[in-house]
Amino acid sequence: MPELPEVETVVRGLQKSVVSQQITSVQVFRNNAITPLSSELFTQRLTGCTIETVTRRGKYLIFQLKPQLCLLAHLRMTGKFIVTSLLPQPHKHHRVWFQLGHQQLMIFDDMRCFGTLELVESLEQAKKLQQLGIEPLSAKLTLNHLKNCFNKSSTTIKSLLLDQTKVAGIGNIYASEILFDAKISPLRTGNQLSIQELKNLKKSIQKILKAAIDKNGTSISDFRKVDEKTGEFQNFLKVYGKNELACSHCSTPIQRIIQQQRSSFFCPSCQQ
Ligand SMILES: [Zn+2]
């Protein structure tokens, strides 16, 4: 599932290719990507709009349009945006085509159909965005914020990192990598962490997410950039997907455990 670094990679790709372009036509192949609007209304509202900016909040992509309208996209499991100047044949995973000017096509492709495209009048009206926690790469990620969010909780730190209302954008891959970098076991609870450990965690959150963005995200299964090339951070993962392989730091076999129906990977020696 795309997490913050993958969404940021998609946003940067779209910023280079679709900003200032006018949406000249829209074709919806599968309605459930755009619920609750009908495909007629979705098409009608978007046609003629110009894409002013493409930004990110948590795992949401935000297309700010002119006249005033916002398109919020969430990729969920397998959603992706492809921008091409070729005229492809519709593929069974294509959900929506956005014709941009006369030269380009932006395709929303989603094999598993969990991704969503939603129109809102303004960002202030987007309740989903208001519920998100702070951006981890902003100055708002402070030791105090982590103390307030994590230090009073008896929930495991792995679950707390995945909670989008506390810190937005971290998913299963980066939660494991961040905890390895911070040398904290995923089994610890928020209220067991010392101030020094919270400081380490803050540093590791920013270090791992920035490193992953620098490598254009992680392509383990479906994630692709808008030019359909893969990210490269899968080559730099230290624990995720490495169960029973030797820890790169101490050679102890990496363990895989299940927490809230999701895999966590960690080194039982390095992470206490
Ligand atoms: Zn180790």
Side-chain angles (χ1 to χ4, degrees), residues 180 247 249-252 267 269-270:
F180 177 74
C247 166
H249 185 65
C250 73
S251 299
T252 302
C267 172
S269 301
C270 291

Side-chain angles (χ1 to χ4, degrees), residues 8-200:
E8 182 65 28
T9 300
V10 173
V11 163
R12 290 180 184 189
L14 291 171
Q15 283 170 344
K16 281 187 206 147
S17 50
V18 307
V19 166
S20 304
Q21 301 254 37
Q22 190 181 37
I23 300 170
T24 48
S25 68
V26 178
Q27 225 176 323
V28 178
F29 298 104
R30 189 158 170 140
N31 273 14
N32 65 349
I34 58 160
T35 50
L37 284 191
S38 66
S39 55
E40 289 76 17
L41 200 51
F42 185 82
T43 302
Q44 190 192 324
R45 299 246 19 224
L46 284 169
T47 303
C49 288
T50 300
I51 300 173
E52 286 220 300
T53 58
V54 186
T55 52
R56 179 191 58 74
R57 178 80 174 90
K59 299 180 198 170
Y60 284 91
L61 293 106
I62 304 164
F63 296 81
Q64 191 91 50
L65 308 170
K66 200 176 175 183
Q68 172 75 44
L69 190 63
C70 293
L71 174 66
L72 295 186
H74 200 300
L75 306 173
R76 301 287 169 199
M77 303 286 284
T78 56
K80 55 188 162 215
F81 282 98
I82 301 163
V83 179
T84 176
S85 51
L86 305 171
L87 245 197
Q89 291 295 315
H91 182 275
K92 63 178 177 175
H93 298 155
H94 289 178
R95 305 303 171 214
V96 183
W97 278 10
F98 303 86
Q99 183 71 47
L100 304 175
H102 301 292
Q103 302 291 327
Q104 274 192 314
L105 189 65
M106 179 170 78
I107 300 167
F108 183 62
D109 173 297
D110 189 9
M111 181 176 73
R112 301 208 31 203
C113 298
F114 292 117
T116 54
L117 301 174
E118 188 184 342
L119 289 180
V120 287
E121 302 306 318
S122 68
L123 290 184
E124 291 70 39
Q125 288 180 26
K127 282 202 187 101
K128 288 169 183 164
L129 299 187
Q130 318 303 336
Q131 291 160 357
L132 290 177
I134 55 139
E135 279 296 318
L137 295 178
S138 74
K140 290 182 181 167
L141 186 83
T142 60
L143 181 61
N144 249 343
H145 181 78
L146 293 187
K147 254 166 76 180
N148 289 335
C149 283
F150 295 166
N151 236 189
K152 294 176 190 118
S153 173
S154 56
T155 306
T156 65
I157 187 60
K158 165 74 188 304
S159 302
L160 290 168
L161 284 175
L162 295 183
D163 182 345
Q164 301 299 301
T165 66
K166 295 182 163 47
V167 178
I170 299 172
N172 213 36
I173 296 177
Y174 296 109
S176 281
E177 294 296 315
I178 287 164
L179 289 173
F180 177 74
D181 192 71
K183 297 185 164 51
I184 297 169
S185 163
L187 294 161
R188 301 272 300 284
T189 58
N191 55 11
Q192 290 171 337
L193 300 183
S194 67
I195 295 298
Q196 187 55 50
E197 285 175 320
L198 288 173
K199 278 186 190 166
N200 295 346

